[in-house]
Amino acid sequence: MSALRIVLVGYGPVGARFVEEVLPAVRAGHVDLTVVAGEPVEAYNRVLVAEYAVGGTELESMLLGDRDAAEAAGARVLLGVAATGIDRVSRTVTLGTGERIGYDRLVLATGARANTPTLDGLERVRRDLASLEQRRDRLVARDDELPEGVTALRDLADAERVRAAVRAGQRIVVLGAGVLGLELALAAAHAGAQVCVVHHGPHPMPRNLDRGGGQVLRAALRRAGVAVVAHSRAEAVVLSGDDERRFEMLVTADGKQLRGELLVLSCGVAPRTELAVLAGLRTAVGIVVTPRLQCWDDPAVHAIGDCAQLVEPTPELVGRRDLPGAPSGLIAPGWRQASWLAGVLAAEAEARAADGEEHDASARTPPAITAALPPERPAIVMLKAEHVDVVAAGEVAAEPFDEDADSPGRRVAQWVDPEHLRYVKMVTDDGVLAGFVAVGMPRTAAELTLLFERRGELPADRSMLLRFDGPDYEPAEDDGFAPTATVCWCNAVTVERIQASAACGSATVADVGRDTRAGTGCGGCRGRIAEVLARAADESRLA
């Protein structure tokens, strides 16, 4: 019986997780796996690229893949090789080298590229079918070409450009005030660079924070040495020089001229869908797949991570041009998709091996996956920065004195201390926490995170929660270190799992990460991992 041939296109964090989870089936001979990596380096955590750019971490600690282990198990890993086309009839993938690789199941984990905003001075490339067919060599598996002194922050090459500017103490202009842009701005300012953040919204992180939390965050940014230019829509990039055009200034619609040596575009991302578009697969914002991660048009093709848009193909939606939803853009959902799909395909491969019949799998329709991916948990957003703590989750738009006839049980509690840059907002439905914002209140944020995870009720006196960041707070009273409490949201690692790792010899956050994966996602939980390790060490000394 021939093994199930799986070709994985994309070897970022999500692709690396898929490889790790499917390797047992590869070792057993049930799966023949080929990985088309694109980049010439081992899979690494893109969430930490900003930290790497300012020298806060090294590449070795960012690596997620293990090419040696994959190849030892029997997989083929092609670093620095791009996929340029898919033939769904013959079920083959064409590579930039000209090689064609056959597949029974194709998994697209192509991720996303940084958006290039519509600005005079920058070329915004279209990637519709007509453009892709005319300029395939320039557009497929390639990023937009940007002028000298302008960069995004998605890969190691981008990070090296930022690192050079930080080391030289240059002035960096960051366009966009989302989580990644702010993390870079704060880290670069802390490292000695001059940083200015420009955005057209009323406050930073507008998708995650309410007005109060955003205003406190803006004040915290300025106190940290980051200049903030709000309510300014970027209009043009001015380039200097004749032969080698280089960034000189960003011009806004209200006439501001913001000079710098480096412009960092932090304007969101766009899923890499060009291979799917050229192959005739349904795309919307991303590559459209069912909740079973199979493409609408072809059950032999799957998509996971930042390129995948999950939509159930109902009769109403199939005929619509626009579709609801979008890729999550977060690492944790992508990891869960990768693990789930790897398990499903490994089970299929094992069943085929047990069947024992020789047949051409590529000639038959793949079996429909009956089970659906478990529903995604609500996202919790954390801003990781030195001395600026921001956590938000759920619905936070409601205001304290709003009257909502559709939600009579909704209540809002709000507390602000502008002088010390602290802010908390809690939104409840019939006493159950539905959303919150916490700025400058790390322990209160940790408690609210636990309550949000458990859909727990808040105390009748909401102010009791503020005590966690008070001067007389006693950690022993906190159940945030209960064995079942989640510490790492990206990988669902609990306190007891970290304690068990510590008991087996893990002494540092990096040790715990290698053993449990905790802290290897967004990195926002590293402080709590360190606290759990410290408690475990104290208990060990007292024993």
mmCIF file of all heavy atoms in Angstrom, residues 132-167:
data_model
loop_
_atom_site.group_PDB
_atom_site.id
_atom_site.type_symbol
_atom_site.label_atom_id
_atom_site.label_comp_id
_atom_site.label_asym_id
_atom_site.label_seq_id
_atom_site.Cartn_x
_atom_site.Cartn_y
_atom_site.Cartn_z
ATOM 1 N N LEU A 132 -2.106 38.317 -11.980
ATOM 2 C CA LEU A 132 -1.274 37.158 -11.669
ATOM 3 C C LEU A 132 -0.884 36.407 -12.938
ATOM 4 O O LEU A 132 0.238 35.921 -13.069
ATOM 5 C CB LEU A 132 -2.005 36.231 -10.706
ATOM 6 C CG LEU A 132 -2.161 36.743 -9.269
ATOM 7 C CD1 LEU A 132 -3.107 35.845 -8.481
ATOM 8 C CD2 LEU A 132 -0.801 36.807 -8.579
ATOM 9 N N GLU A 133 -1.813 36.284 -13.884
ATOM 10 C CA GLU A 133 -1.501 35.582 -15.129
ATOM 11 C C GLU A 133 -0.481 36.360 -15.962
ATOM 12 O O GLU A 133 0.370 35.762 -16.628
ATOM 13 C CB GLU A 133 -2.788 35.369 -15.933
ATOM 14 C CG GLU A 133 -3.699 34.320 -15.315
ATOM 15 C CD GLU A 133 -5.002 34.169 -16.073
ATOM 16 O OE1 GLU A 133 -5.398 35.119 -16.790
ATOM 17 O OE2 GLU A 133 -5.632 33.102 -15.951
ATOM 18 N N GLN A 134 -0.538 37.689 -15.905
ATOM 19 C CA GLN A 134 0.392 38.499 -16.700
ATOM 20 C C GLN A 134 1.765 38.608 -16.047
ATOM 21 O O GLN A 134 2.774 38.696 -16.741
ATOM 22 C CB GLN A 134 -0.193 39.903 -16.894
ATOM 23 C CG GLN A 134 -1.431 39.949 -17.770
ATOM 24 C CD GLN A 134 -2.065 41.326 -17.784
ATOM 25 O OE1 GLN A 134 -1.535 42.276 -17.211
ATOM 26 N NE2 GLN A 134 -3.207 41.442 -18.446
ATOM 27 N N ARG A 135 1.806 38.614 -14.707
ATOM 28 C CA ARG A 135 3.074 38.873 -14.006
ATOM 29 C C ARG A 135 3.364 37.782 -12.982
ATOM 30 O O ARG A 135 3.801 38.055 -11.877
ATOM 31 C CB ARG A 135 2.999 40.239 -13.319
ATOM 32 C CG ARG A 135 2.630 41.378 -14.249
ATOM 33 C CD ARG A 135 2.319 42.655 -13.490
ATOM 34 N NE ARG A 135 3.468 43.160 -12.764
ATOM 35 C CZ ARG A 135 3.403 44.114 -11.848
ATOM 36 N NH1 ARG A 135 2.235 44.638 -11.514
ATOM 37 N NH2 ARG A 135 4.499 44.533 -11.233
ATOM 38 N N ARG A 136 3.121 36.560 -13.359
ATOM 39 C CA ARG A 136 3.261 35.444 -12.416
ATOM 40 C C ARG A 136 4.636 35.419 -11.745
ATOM 41 O O ARG A 136 4.744 35.262 -10.538
ATOM 42 C CB ARG A 136 3.022 34.116 -13.151
ATOM 43 C CG ARG A 136 3.186 32.882 -12.269
ATOM 44 C CD ARG A 136 3.159 31.623 -13.112
ATOM 45 N NE ARG A 136 1.862 31.393 -13.698
ATOM 46 C CZ ARG A 136 0.983 30.507 -13.236
ATOM 47 N NH1 ARG A 136 1.264 29.813 -12.144
ATOM 48 N NH2 ARG A 136 -0.160 30.325 -13.838
ATOM 49 N N ASP A 137 5.689 35.591 -12.527
ATOM 50 C CA ASP A 137 7.042 35.487 -11.977
ATOM 51 C C ASP A 137 7.329 36.571 -10.945
ATOM 52 O O ASP A 137 8.122 36.364 -10.023
ATOM 53 C CB ASP A 137 8.079 35.557 -13.106
ATOM 54 C CG ASP A 137 8.022 34.338 -14.012
ATOM 55 O OD1 ASP A 137 7.437 33.326 -13.581
ATOM 56 O OD2 ASP A 137 8.548 34.405 -15.138
ATOM 57 N N ARG A 138 6.711 37.750 -11.071
ATOM 58 C CA ARG A 138 6.975 38.855 -10.160
ATOM 59 C C ARG A 138 6.044 38.869 -8.955
ATOM 60 O O ARG A 138 6.361 39.499 -7.945
ATOM 61 C CB ARG A 138 6.826 40.191 -10.898
ATOM 62 C CG ARG A 138 7.951 40.492 -11.878
ATOM 63 C CD ARG A 138 7.862 41.928 -12.351
ATOM 64 N NE ARG A 138 7.950 42.858 -11.216
ATOM 65 C CZ ARG A 138 7.680 44.161 -11.302
ATOM 66 N NH1 ARG A 138 7.312 44.674 -12.465
ATOM 67 N NH2 ARG A 138 7.788 44.937 -10.243
ATOM 68 N N LEU A 139 4.902 38.204 -9.059
ATOM 69 C CA LEU A 139 3.891 38.335 -8.008
ATOM 70 C C LEU A 139 3.722 37.088 -7.149
ATOM 71 O O LEU A 139 3.431 37.199 -5.959
ATOM 72 C CB LEU A 139 2.543 38.709 -8.628
ATOM 73 C CG LEU A 139 2.484 40.045 -9.380
ATOM 74 C CD1 LEU A 139 1.076 40.302 -9.888
ATOM 75 C CD2 LEU A 139 2.955 41.180 -8.493
ATOM 76 N N VAL A 140 3.857 35.914 -7.728
ATOM 77 C CA VAL A 140 3.615 34.684 -6.970
ATOM 78 C C VAL A 140 4.788 34.420 -6.030
ATOM 79 O O VAL A 140 5.951 34.417 -6.433
ATOM 80 C CB VAL A 140 3.402 33.488 -7.916
ATOM 81 C CG1 VAL A 140 3.243 32.201 -7.114
ATOM 82 C CG2 VAL A 140 2.169 33.714 -8.778
ATOM 83 N N ALA A 141 4.471 34.226 -4.763
ATOM 84 C CA ALA A 141 5.464 33.930 -3.722
ATOM 85 C C ALA A 141 6.474 35.071 -3.552
ATOM 86 O O ALA A 141 7.604 34.834 -3.127
ATOM 87 C CB ALA A 141 6.191 32.619 -4.019
ATOM 88 N N ARG A 142 6.061 36.293 -3.873
ATOM 89 C CA ARG A 142 6.939 37.448 -3.698
ATOM 90 C C ARG A 142 6.208 38.557 -2.948
ATOM 91 O O ARG A 142 4.998 38.709 -3.079
ATOM 92 C CB ARG A 142 7.422 37.979 -5.056
ATOM 93 C CG ARG A 142 8.359 37.034 -5.783
ATOM 94 C CD ARG A 142 8.806 37.639 -7.104
ATOM 95 N NE ARG A 142 9.725 36.773 -7.816
ATOM 96 C CZ ARG A 142 11.032 36.783 -7.665
ATOM 97 N NH1 ARG A 142 11.587 37.643 -6.808
ATOM 98 N NH2 ARG A 142 11.818 35.971 -8.344
ATOM 99 N N ASP A 143 6.966 39.339 -2.188
ATOM 100 C CA ASP A 143 6.399 40.489 -1.500
ATOM 101 C C ASP A 143 6.458 41.719 -2.402
ATOM 102 O O ASP A 143 7.162 41.731 -3.419
ATOM 103 C CB ASP A 143 7.170 40.763 -0.207
ATOM 104 C CG ASP A 143 6.958 39.674 0.831
ATOM 105 O OD1 ASP A 143 5.883 39.050 0.822
ATOM 106 O OD2 ASP A 143 7.864 39.446 1.652
ATOM 107 N N ASP A 144 5.733 42.755 -2.004
ATOM 108 C CA ASP A 144 5.783 44.003 -2.755
ATOM 109 C C ASP A 144 7.187 44.608 -2.674
ATOM 110 O O ASP A 144 7.844 44.530 -1.626
ATOM 111 C CB ASP A 144 4.774 45.006 -2.193
ATOM 112 C CG ASP A 144 3.335 44.541 -2.380
ATOM 113 O OD1 ASP A 144 3.122 43.596 -3.156
ATOM 114 O OD2 ASP A 144 2.443 45.126 -1.742
ATOM 115 N N GLU A 145 7.623 45.215 -3.762
ATOM 116 C CA GLU A 145 8.907 45.894 -3.771
ATOM 117 C C GLU A 145 8.727 47.300 -3.201
ATOM 118 O O GLU A 145 7.890 48.066 -3.677
ATOM 119 C CB GLU A 145 9.474 45.956 -5.186
ATOM 120 C CG GLU A 145 9.833 44.586 -5.756
ATOM 121 C CD GLU A 145 10.463 44.679 -7.132
ATOM 122 O OE1 GLU A 145 10.718 45.826 -7.580
ATOM 123 O OE2 GLU A 145 10.701 43.627 -7.749
ATOM 124 N N LEU A 146 9.516 47.633 -2.181
ATOM 125 C CA LEU A 146 9.407 48.925 -1.520
ATOM 126 C C LEU A 146 10.670 49.740 -1.739
ATOM 127 O O LEU A 146 11.761 49.177 -1.898
ATOM 128 C CB LEU A 146 9.182 48.723 -0.007
ATOM 129 C CG LEU A 146 7.908 47.980 0.380
ATOM 130 C CD1 LEU A 146 7.900 47.679 1.876
ATOM 131 C CD2 LEU A 146 6.674 48.794 -0.003
ATOM 132 N N PRO A 147 10.561 51.077 -1.735
ATOM 133 C CA PRO A 147 11.757 51.916 -1.924
ATOM 134 C C PRO A 147 12.730 51.763 -0.762
ATOM 135 O O PRO A 147 12.377 51.277 0.325
ATOM 136 C CB PRO A 147 11.173 53.338 -1.960
ATOM 137 C CG PRO A 147 9.707 53.177 -2.201
ATOM 138 C CD PRO A 147 9.334 51.864 -1.619
ATOM 139 N N GLU A 148 13.953 52.179 -0.968
ATOM 140 C CA GLU A 148 14.961 52.171 0.089
ATOM 141 C C GLU A 148 14.474 53.029 1.255
ATOM 142 O O GLU A 148 13.969 54.137 1.063
ATOM 143 C CB GLU A 148 16.277 52.728 -0.461
ATOM 144 C CG GLU A 148 17.447 52.567 0.471
ATOM 145 C CD GLU A 148 17.921 51.122 0.552
ATOM 146 O OE1 GLU A 148 17.601 50.334 -0.356
ATOM 147 O OE2 GLU A 148 18.620 50.798 1.538
ATOM 148 N N GLY A 149 14.626 52.511 2.455
ATOM 149 C CA GLY A 149 14.190 53.254 3.630
ATOM 150 C C GLY A 149 12.743 53.025 4.000
ATOM 151 O O GLY A 149 12.245 53.639 4.952
ATOM 152 N N VAL A 150 12.046 52.165 3.268
ATOM 153 C CA VAL A 150 10.659 51.795 3.590
ATOM 154 C C VAL A 150 10.609 50.285 3.755
ATOM 155 O O VAL A 150 11.133 49.552 2.910
ATOM 156 C CB VAL A 150 9.676 52.230 2.483
ATOM 157 C CG1 VAL A 150 8.244 51.848 2.862
ATOM 158 C CG2 VAL A 150 9.774 53.731 2.238
ATOM 159 N N THR A 151 10.010 49.812 4.831
ATOM 160 C CA THR A 151 9.961 48.372 5.073
ATOM 161 C C THR A 151 8.683 48.004 5.805
ATOM 162 O O THR A 151 8.044 48.854 6.436
ATOM 163 C CB THR A 151 11.181 47.911 5.907
ATOM 164 O OG1 THR A 151 11.193 46.478 5.974
ATOM 165 C CG2 THR A 151 11.125 48.469 7.327
ATOM 166 N N ALA A 152 8.308 46.769 5.666
ATOM 167 C CA ALA A 152 7.278 46.194 6.527
ATOM 168 C C ALA A 152 8.022 45.490 7.665
ATOM 169 O O ALA A 152 9.225 45.702 7.851
ATOM 170 C CB ALA A 152 6.413 45.225 5.739
ATOM 171 N N LEU A 153 7.341 44.677 8.436
ATOM 172 C CA LEU A 153 8.019 43.918 9.490
ATOM 173 C C LEU A 153 7.365 42.545 9.598
ATOM 174 O O LEU A 153 6.612 42.264 10.533
ATOM 175 C CB LEU A 153 7.951 44.665 10.829
ATOM 176 C CG LEU A 153 8.870 44.114 11.937
ATOM 177 C CD1 LEU A 153 10.328 44.136 11.494
ATOM 178 C CD2 LEU A 153 8.709 44.906 13.217
ATOM 179 N N ARG A 154 7.670 41.690 8.597
ATOM 180 C CA ARG A 154 7.082 40.362 8.565
ATOM 181 C C ARG A 154 8.128 39.252 8.598
ATOM 182 O O ARG A 154 7.836 38.146 9.017
ATOM 183 C CB ARG A 154 6.239 40.191 7.287
ATOM 184 C CG ARG A 154 4.980 41.001 7.256
ATOM 185 C CD ARG A 154 3.958 40.527 8.257
ATOM 186 N NE ARG A 154 3.424 39.207 7.934
ATOM 187 C CZ ARG A 154 2.598 38.526 8.717
ATOM 188 N NH1 ARG A 154 2.238 39.039 9.879
ATOM 189 N NH2 ARG A 154 2.156 37.337 8.377
ATOM 190 N N ASP A 155 9.350 39.543 8.131
ATOM 191 C CA ASP A 155 10.339 38.468 8.057
ATOM 192 C C ASP A 155 11.694 38.962 8.539
ATOM 193 O O ASP A 155 11.845 40.111 8.972
ATOM 194 C CB ASP A 155 10.417 37.887 6.643
ATOM 195 C CG ASP A 155 10.768 38.946 5.595
ATOM 196 O OD1 ASP A 155 11.456 39.927 5.938
ATOM 197 O OD2 ASP A 155 10.376 38.780 4.425
ATOM 198 N N LEU A 156 12.683 38.092 8.467
ATOM 199 C CA LEU A 156 14.004 38.413 9.001
ATOM 200 C C LEU A 156 14.696 39.516 8.213
ATOM 201 O O LEU A 156 15.430 40.331 8.793
ATOM 202 C CB LEU A 156 14.874 37.151 9.006
ATOM 203 C CG LEU A 156 14.392 36.011 9.915
ATOM 204 C CD1 LEU A 156 15.313 34.822 9.779
ATOM 205 C CD2 LEU A 156 14.306 36.467 11.356
ATOM 206 N N ALA A 157 14.471 39.565 6.912
ATOM 207 C CA ALA A 157 15.078 40.630 6.111
ATOM 208 C C ALA A 157 14.542 41.993 6.552
ATOM 209 O O ALA A 157 15.303 42.966 6.666
ATOM 210 C CB ALA A 157 14.806 40.398 4.630
ATOM 211 N N ASP A 158 13.233 42.071 6.797
ATOM 212 C CA ASP A 158 12.652 43.311 7.328
ATOM 213 C C ASP A 158 13.288 43.662 8.666
ATOM 214 O O ASP A 158 13.625 44.815 8.937
ATOM 215 C CB ASP A 158 11.138 43.150 7.513
ATOM 216 C CG ASP A 158 10.400 42.890 6.218
ATOM 217 O OD1 ASP A 158 10.893 43.317 5.160
ATOM 218 O OD2 ASP A 158 9.332 42.260 6.269
ATOM 219 N N ALA A 159 13.427 42.659 9.517
ATOM 220 C CA ALA A 159 13.975 42.898 10.855
ATOM 221 C C ALA A 159 15.395 43.423 10.795
ATOM 222 O O ALA A 159 15.783 44.282 11.605
ATOM 223 C CB ALA A 159 13.913 41.608 11.676
ATOM 224 N N GLU A 160 16.186 42.951 9.847
ATOM 225 C CA GLU A 160 17.563 43.414 9.737
ATOM 226 C C GLU A 160 17.609 44.897 9.364
ATOM 227 O O GLU A 160 18.481 45.642 9.831
ATOM 228 C CB GLU A 160 18.329 42.577 8.704
ATOM 229 C CG GLU A 160 18.569 41.130 9.113
ATOM 230 C CD GLU A 160 19.438 40.998 10.367
ATOM 231 O OE1 GLU A 160 20.122 41.969 10.739
ATOM 232 O OE2 GLU A 160 19.420 39.910 10.969
ATOM 233 N N ARG A 161 16.682 45.337 8.525
ATOM 234 C CA ARG A 161 16.636 46.753 8.171
ATOM 235 C C ARG A 161 16.298 47.605 9.391
ATOM 236 O O ARG A 161 16.897 48.668 9.609
ATOM 237 C CB ARG A 161 15.616 46.977 7.047
ATOM 238 C CG ARG A 161 16.097 46.515 5.680
ATOM 239 C CD ARG A 161 15.125 46.899 4.595
ATOM 240 N NE ARG A 161 13.994 45.981 4.536
ATOM 241 C CZ ARG A 161 13.964 44.864 3.823
ATOM 242 N NH1 ARG A 161 15.016 44.522 3.098
ATOM 243 N NH2 ARG A 161 12.891 44.097 3.814
ATOM 244 N N VAL A 162 15.344 47.132 10.192
ATOM 245 C CA VAL A 162 14.985 47.867 11.401
ATOM 246 C C VAL A 162 16.136 47.838 12.402
ATOM 247 O O VAL A 162 16.452 48.849 13.047
ATOM 248 C CB VAL A 162 13.710 47.270 12.031
ATOM 249 C CG1 VAL A 162 13.402 47.951 13.363
ATOM 250 C CG2 VAL A 162 12.525 47.422 11.080
ATOM 251 N N ARG A 163 16.788 46.696 12.516
ATOM 252 C CA ARG A 163 17.894 46.563 13.478
ATOM 253 C C ARG A 163 19.015 47.545 13.157
ATOM 254 O O ARG A 163 19.587 48.165 14.057
ATOM 255 C CB ARG A 163 18.413 45.121 13.473
ATOM 256 C CG ARG A 163 19.590 44.897 14.406
ATOM 257 C CD ARG A 163 19.975 43.425 14.470
ATOM 258 N NE ARG A 163 19.088 42.671 15.339
ATOM 259 C CZ ARG A 163 19.422 41.528 15.939
ATOM 260 N NH1 ARG A 163 20.633 41.027 15.785
ATOM 261 N NH2 ARG A 163 18.565 40.900 16.691
ATOM 262 N N ALA A 164 19.319 47.716 11.872
ATOM 263 C CA ALA A 164 20.366 48.660 11.479
ATOM 264 C C ALA A 164 19.984 50.087 11.861
ATOM 265 O O ALA A 164 20.828 50.867 12.327
ATOM 266 C CB ALA A 164 20.619 48.559 9.983
ATOM 267 N N ALA A 165 18.715 50.446 11.679
ATOM 268 C CA ALA A 165 18.265 51.791 12.026
ATOM 269 C C ALA A 165 18.309 52.015 13.535
ATOM 270 O O ALA A 165 18.682 53.099 14.008
ATOM 271 C CB ALA A 165 16.847 52.012 11.501
ATOM 272 N N VAL A 166 17.929 51.006 14.306
ATOM 273 C CA VAL A 166 17.953 51.128 15.764
ATOM 274 C C VAL A 166 19.380 51.291 16.260
ATOM 275 O O VAL A 166 19.669 52.144 17.113
ATOM 276 C CB VAL A 166 17.275 49.904 16.409
ATOM 277 C CG1 VAL A 166 17.497 49.893 17.924
ATOM 278 C CG2 VAL A 166 15.772 49.901 16.102
ATOM 279 N N ARG A 167 20.287 50.490 15.737
ATOM 280 C CA ARG A 167 21.687 50.572 16.160
ATOM 281 C C ARG A 167 22.293 51.937 15.852
ATOM 282 O O ARG A 167 23.137 52.440 16.594
ATOM 283 C CB ARG A 167 22.496 49.470 15.477
ATOM 284 C CG ARG A 167 22.254 48.084 16.054
ATOM 285 C CD ARG A 167 22.989 47.029 15.245
ATOM 286 N NE ARG A 167 22.885 45.706 15.861
ATOM 287 C CZ ARG A 167 23.262 44.579 15.276
ATOM 288 N NH1 ARG A 167 23.768 44.608 14.044
ATOM 289 N NH2 ARG A 167 23.139 43.422 15.897
#
